[in-house]
Amino acid sequence: MGLIVQKYGGTSVGNTERIENVANKVIDWRGRGHQVVVVVSAMSGETDRLIGLAKNITSRPSPRELDVLLATGEQVTIALLCIALEKRGCPARSYTGGQARILTDNAHNKARIQDIKADSIRADLDAGRVVVVAGFQGVDEDGNITTLGRGGSDTTGVALAAALKADECQIYTDVDGVYTTDPRVVPEARRLDRITFEEMLEMASLGSKVLQIRSVEFAGKHNVPLRVLSSFQEGPGTLITFEEANEAKQMENVLISGIAFNRDEAKLTVQGVPDRPGIAFSILGSVSAANIEVDMIIQNIGRDGTTDFTFTVHRNDYERTLEILNEQATRLGAREVSGDGKIAKLSLVGIGMRSHAGVASKMFEALAREGINIRMISTSEIKISVVIDEKYLELGVRALHEAFGLEKAA
Amino acid sequence: MGLIVQKYGGTSVGNTERIENVANKVIDWRGRGHQVVVVVSAMSGETDRLIGLAKNITSRPSPRELDVLLATGEQVTIALLCIALEKRGCPARSYTGGQARILTDNAHNKARIQDIKADSIRADLDAGRVVVVAGFQGVDEDGNITTLGRGGSDTTGVALAAALKADECQIYTDVDGVYTTDPRVVPEARRLDRITFEEMLEMASLGSKVLQIRSVEFAGKHNVPLRVLSSFQEGPGTLITFEEANEAKQMENVLISGIAFNRDEAKLTVQGVPDRPGIAFSILGSVSAANIEVDMIIQNIGRDGTTDFTFTVHRNDYERTLEILNEQATRLGAREVSGDGKIAKLSLVGIGMRSHAGVASKMFEALAREGINIRMISTSEIKISVVIDEKYLELGVRALHEAFGLEKAA
């Protein structure tokens, strides 16, 4: 008997039939003696439909009014879910972001939650009601409607779980948990029963988009146990933990939790720049001034007083970045500017590798065996990322999955 | 230079192109030096779409949650209109019913406005902004979202005009004013420049649905000058006045303002009931106990100790009412119960007839000349209604329109 916050995404509430299915799930959990708070997204397609209406008028709608518009998406879902719950005799009450007193700053379209005054929700729970809250939205201190940006419903769920000191925050999605890698690439990919918060952060930031990064960070900060489950099939899902589980894991000799990958990046190299202090800033300053985000950065030791500088950006920014670098080449004294838009990033993630040598060499060996050339390498305490030619991505993922025996439970 | 409240209905904001057209109109009025508050309905079709979603789940959705659902319709429109206004460089701010502090009772789906705290709206107007308010909705004292029932956007407009002491409340619709009768029946029907509040009430309640009755009543109670205009064509529309304009009108010998009609009713007769006190209650008590609303009621003087009792109900209630009466016939001692579902009601409306004899006889003569038999007659100070066979409706309306010379301006 505990307090559970459940979050259902757009696909899980994509039509009224699915909303009724969610109602059944909620009533099932309530029947086991739990108090349940449900956070829902807009029905899939609805947010895009609303944005489409605004874009019919202008490509740059006022941020405040865009939030007023988009907030209706989740409001429709909370009403429909409550209607489905009450039809089944389950007392329920819907809350918009404002009614739930989810207070945010006033950064429209990307607001951050500052506080939740959950007294009213708690009173409803104590009165035996299921509480249904609109995700993705809040109000600022003047009562203006704000939204948290795309995917913000996860954050709403975690923030409510933190405010209510819930026993668990369950994120229902269309996959039944976090996998060792994408099962569409490696059919043998295995669902993880648990993964540490830090590993999850790396997996999420590397393109295995099961959860929004911000919600995982928020959960970590407030120590909210987070579970990823499927809304379409039964199963325990994957629990994201914050204990020092890595100790236990090392005992079991689990080095690697999973393999993340990402095709969204492009790589640029400035060759033969003078190897002197400030050169990195000279190159990246003009790029970041154009609001282009840089991911991996590599600079090798110089030779003959010059060095090569390589970094990756989102593929959408590739052309513009190349332009900027070419404009700057003379000023920088660079010999050449080159780039590649057809790359992929591939990362091994695992808390176990912190204290285990040999993971990197085993990784490079597995790739070499398949004839895959490594273009860039970057490491952190719990991951090793390599950049390879895009065409080798699937082959590389399968090779690593097998080399580290990820298909077998530890 | 004044303060104007404008209300645009669902057809006027039916798509983003029309919303941009409304933005142009609003900016035009503002350019003439007026402060403008705009009240909007949901885009046409949207409310039905939302109700359809709820009905997918259950035919009897919870009233509170239905309001949460339906309120999103107008919220979409306020955002889109503000986006269109700001695109044109016109500062604007949207208000949901709750943000506008439109406080209602808690009768979900048919709430009544109790108070409007318009300080914030006034501050926005003084700061030079156009204020756009969601019609049809409010909040109760606990912050629950309520709706005023279908057509409630008119009421929102009038209530805001009263709270802000506006100089005029303009109701934009798809007709360009109030006509002497429906132009689809009488092509010569003429737009009235002005009509008194009482005449408008009779016209509205008799089926000439230009405005919601409740909003006209509200306007009368608070002395809000109301104007009906078209959002699709230019023109002065029809002003609904509260002065004792009838004095002036009588001088001009204007007897009749218009002809209203209604095909929604059915008539029932209980014949040969004992002519004794309490008989009317005996008959109607069981009908109203079944929540059936009764419109016209006629009881003629008795003969041989019995009398005939006739009344009309909405056509949808006809079968059920007939059933009830047949069940009660024996108890009532009635000789016979009969009814007719194919009737029409036709009414002359005019403040001028108050002090003018001969209107009724002129009306009956005009109908007789066309061979139209009158089944029921009922009169009030400013109207005469007759029930005739449905098939004669158009003929009757045209005959009266001509007999009273309504095609000519007074």
Side-chain angles (χ1 to χ4, degrees):
Chain A
M1 161 97 191
L3 169 54
I4 292 172
V5 175
Q6 302 187 325
K7 182 260 168 177
Y8 293 91
T11 319
S12 308
V13 295
N15 55 42
T16 48
E17 198 185 320
R18 288 187 175 176
I19 288 172
E20 300 212 59
N21 178 43
V22 167
N24 291 337
K25 272 191 173 301
V26 170
I27 287 170
D28 189 33
W29 280 92
R30 188 165 168 269
R32 293 182 222 164
H34 298 291
Q35 293 184 318
V36 186
V37 174
V38 188
V39 174
V40 287
S41 299
M43 295 166 77
S44 55
E46 180 63 5
T47 302
D48 288 334
R49 184 184 76 88
L50 293 168
I51 289 176
L53 286 173
K55 298 277 175 185
N56 274 353
I57 298 173
T58 171
S59 58
R60 290 179 50 204
S62 128
R64 178 187 188 276
E65 301 303 336
L66 190 60
D67 280 350
V68 172
L69 182 69
L70 295 185
T72 63
E74 288 73 25
Q75 189 171 325
V76 166
T77 319
I78 56 172
L80 292 175
L81 180 54
C82 283
I83 286 170
L85 287 165
E86 299 199 85
K87 172 189 169 187
R88 288 160 173 76
C90 171
R93 181 164 290 175
S94 71
Y95 281 78
T96 62
Q99 288 173 331
R101 308 305 302 142
I102 297 176
L103 303 174
T104 71
D105 58 24
N106 60 5
H108 285 292
N109 311 161
K110 49 178 193 295
R112 289 189 172 259
I113 296 175
Q114 295 184 321
D115 192 19
I116 298 182
K117 302 203 185 304
D119 306 353
S120 174
I121 290 176
R122 228 177 248 117
D124 268 335
L125 289 173
D126 290 342
R129 292 193 185 93
V130 167
V131 168
V132 180
V133 181
F136 170 74
Q137 59 182 250
V139 282
D140 71 10
E141 60 176 359
D142 295 324
N144 294 304
I145 296 169
T146 55
T147 69
L148 312 179
R150 286 236 162 186
S153 289
D154 286 358
T155 310
T156 304
V158 174
L160 271 170
L164 292 164
K165 302 195 196 321
D167 295 288
E168 196 167 286
C169 178
Q170 302 178 338
I171 309 283
Y172 286 83
T173 173
D174 45 3
V175 299
D176 69 338
V178 180
Y179 274 70
T180 50
T181 194
D182 187 338
R184 283 168 299 187
V185 172
V186 183
E188 296 79 18
R190 184 174 47 84
R191 183 183 53 73
L192 297 161
D193 284 329
R194 43 172 61 210
I195 185 172
T196 68
F197 161 67
E198 288 143 302
E199 288 169 321
M200 186 66 205
L201 267 189
E202 290 289 359
M203 294 291 273
S205 70
L206 290 166
S208 295
K209 283 282 158 52
V210 177
L211 286 173
Q212 291 300 116
I213 289 193
R214 250 168 82 185
S215 66
V216 180
E217 285 173 349
F218 205 106
K221 205 167 134 193
H222 293 90
N223 251 306
V224 176
L226 206 58
R227 188 181 290 277
V228 178
L229 309 96
S230 163
S231 51
F232 302 111
Q233 58 193 96
E234 293 297 318
T238 298
L239 182 67
I240 297 155
T241 60
F242 304 93
E243 327 105 73
E244 283 298 309
N246 54 318
E247 309 287 343
K249 276 198 167 184
Q250 277 173 247
M251 299 289 285
E252 295 164 29
N253 211 21
V254 178
L255 294 176
I256 306 300
S257 283
I259 300 164
F261 54 84
N262 182 347
R263 294 173 218 260
D264 293 340
E265 296 191 11
K267 131 174 130 43
L268 295 114
T269 302
V270 186
Q271 281 172 284
V273 285
D275 192 3
R276 55 170 163 75
I279 192 68
F281 173 73
S282 299
I283 295 170
L284 290 185
S286 53
V287 173
S288 67
N291 271 319
I292 295 168
E293 276 187 39
V294 171
D295 179 30
M296 289 171 83
I297 302 172
I298 307 264
Q299 182 187 347
N300 220 326
I301 52 162
R303 200 171 45 177
D304 307 333
T306 68
T307 187
D308 302 337
F309 190 91
T310 302
F311 60 96
T312 63
V313 297
H314 194 280
R315 204 170 281 190
N316 293 343
D317 294 323
Y318 176 55
E319 298 292 342
R320 238 170 89 235
T321 312
L322 205 56
E323 246 169 60
I324 292 170
L325 291 182
N326 277 321
E327 280 164 15
Q328 303 284 325
T330 317
R331 182 178 67 78
L332 295 168
R335 197 172 63 238
E336 200 189 336
V337 171
S338 61
D340 188 350
K342 291 193 184 310
I343 59 159
K345 189 165 78 170
L346 198 154
S347 308
L348 274 186
V349 176
I351 279 222
M353 74 170 75
R354 271 183 186 166
S355 53
H356 197 101
V359 170
S361 61
K362 190 171 178 184
M363 176 184 189
F364 303 153
E365 184 198 2
L367 294 174
R369 209 182 302 131
E370 303 290 345
I372 299 171
N373 197 17
I374 296 169
R375 305 303 189 87
M376 287 173 81
I377 300 174
S378 143
T379 61
S380 80
E381 269 203 59
I382 66 162
K383 74 147 199 260
I384 304 170
S385 298
V386 297
V387 166
I388 60 174
D389 283 353
E390 188 185 10
K391 61 182 174 185
Y392 295 127
L393 174 63
E394 289 83 359
L395 179 61
V397 173
R398 280 194 297 266
L400 294 182
H401 204 270
E402 205 193 325
F404 287 92
L406 295 183
E407 72 284 358
K408 300 184 291 282
Chain B
M1 162 97 190
L3 170 53
I4 292 172
V5 175
Q6 303 187 326
K7 181 262 169 175
Y8 293 91
T11 320
S12 308
V13 295
N15 55 44
T16 48
E17 199 184 318
R18 289 186 174 177
I19 288 172
E20 299 214 58
N21 178 42
V22 167
N24 291 337
K25 270 190 175 300
V26 170
I27 287 170
D28 189 33
W29 280 91
R30 188 165 168 270
R32 295 183 221 164
H34 298 291
Q35 293 185 318
V36 187
V37 174
V38 188
V39 174
V40 287
S41 300
M43 296 167 77
S44 54
E46 181 63 5
T47 302
D48 287 335
R49 184 184 75 88
L50 293 168
I51 289 177
L53 287 173
K55 298 277 174 185
N56 275 353
I57 297 172
T58 170
S59 58
R60 289 178 51 203
S62 127
R64 179 189 188 274
E65 302 302 338
L66 189 61
D67 279 351
V68 172
L69 181 69
L70 295 184
T72 63
E74 288 73 25
Q75 189 171 327
V76 166
T77 318
I78 58 172
L80 293 175
L81 180 54
C82 283
I83 286 169
L85 287 166
E86 298 199 85
K87 171 190 169 187
R88 288 161 173 75
C90 172
R93 181 163 291 173
S94 71
Y95 283 78
T96 63
Q99 288 172 332
R101 309 302 304 140
I102 297 175
L103 302 174
T104 71
D105 58 24
N106 61 5
H108 285 291
N109 311 161
K110 49 178 192 294
R112 289 187 172 258
I113 296 175
Q114 295 184 321
D115 193 18
I116 298 183
K117 302 203 186 304
D119 307 354
S120 174
I121 290 177
R122 229 177 248 118
D124 268 335
L125 289 173
D126 291 342
R129 291 193 187 94
V130 167
V131 168
V132 180
V133 181
F136 171 74
Q137 59 180 250
V139 282
D140 71 10
E141 60 175 0
D142 295 324
N144 295 303
I145 296 169
T146 55
T147 70
L148 313 179
R150 285 238 162 182
S153 289
D154 286 358
T155 310
T156 304
V158 173
L160 271 170
L164 292 163
K165 301 196 198 319
D167 295 289
E168 197 168 285
C169 179
Q170 302 178 336
I171 308 284
Y172 286 83
T173 172
D174 45 4
V175 298
D176 68 339
V178 180
Y179 275 70
T180 50
T181 196
D182 188 336
R184 283 169 298 187
V185 172
V186 182
E188 295 79 19
R190 184 174 46 84
R191 183 183 52 74
L192 297 161
D193 284 329
R194 43 172 61 209
I195 187 173
T196 68
F197 160 66
E198 288 145 302
E199 288 169 321
M200 186 66 205
L201 268 189
E202 291 290 357
M203 294 290 274
S205 68
L206 290 166
S208 294
K209 283 282 159 52
V210 178
L211 287 172
Q212 291 300 115
I213 289 193
R214 251 167 83 186
S215 64
V216 181
E217 285 174 349
F218 206 104
K221 206 167 133 191
H222 293 91
N223 252 306
V224 176
L226 207 57
R227 189 182 289 278
V228 178
L229 308 97
S230 163
S231 52
F232 301 111
Q233 57 192 96
E234 293 297 317
T238 298
L239 182 67
I240 297 156
T241 60
F242 305 93
E243 329 103 75
E244 283 298 309
N246 54 318
E247 309 286 342
K249 276 196 168 185
Q250 276 174 249
M251 298 286 288
E252 296 165 29
N253 211 20
V254 179
L255 295 176
I256 306 299
S257 284
I259 300 165
F261 55 83
N262 183 345
R263 293 173 217 259
D264 293 340
E265 298 191 10
K267 134 174 127 46
L268 297 114
T269 301
V270 185
Q271 280 171 284
V273 285
D275 191 2
R276 54 168 165 76
I279 191 68
F281 173 74
S282 298
I283 295 170
L284 290 185
S286 53
V287 172
S288 67
N291 271 320
I292 295 169
E293 276 187 38
V294 171
D295 179 27
M296 289 170 84
I297 303 173
I298 306 264
Q299 183 187 346
N300 220 327
I301 53 164
R303 202 172 44 176
D304 306 332
T306 69
T307 189
D308 302 338
F309 189 91
T310 302
F311 61 95
T312 63
V313 296
H314 195 280
R315 205 170 281 189
N316 293 344
D317 295 323
Y318 176 56
E319 298 293 341
R320 237 172 89 238
T321 312
L322 205 56
E323 245 170 59
I324 292 170
L325 292 182
N326 277 320
E327 281 165 14
Q328 303 284 321
T330 317
R331 182 177 67 76
L332 295 167
R335 199 173 62 238
E336 198 189 336
V337 171
S338 62
D340 188 349
K342 290 193 186 311
I343 60 158
K345 187 164 78 169
L346 196 155
S347 308
L348 274 186
V349 176
I351 279 221
M353 74 169 76
R354 268 184 188 164
S355 52
H356 197 102
V359 170
S361 60
K362 190 172 176 181
M363 177 183 189
F364 302 155
E365 185 198 359
L367 295 173
R369 209 183 300 133
E370 302 292 343
I372 299 171
N373 196 20
I374 296 169
R375 306 302 191 85
M376 286 172 83
I377 300 174
S378 142
T379 62
S380 80
E381 270 203 59
I382 66 162
K383 74 146 200 263
I384 305 171
S385 298
V386 298
V387 166
I388 59 175
D389 281 355
E390 188 184 9
K391 61 181 173 184
Y392 293 127
L393 174 63
E394 289 84 358
L395 179 61
V397 173
R398 280 194 296 267
L400 293 180
H401 204 270
E402 206 194 323
F404 286 92
L406 295 183
E407 73 285 358
K408 299 183 291 283

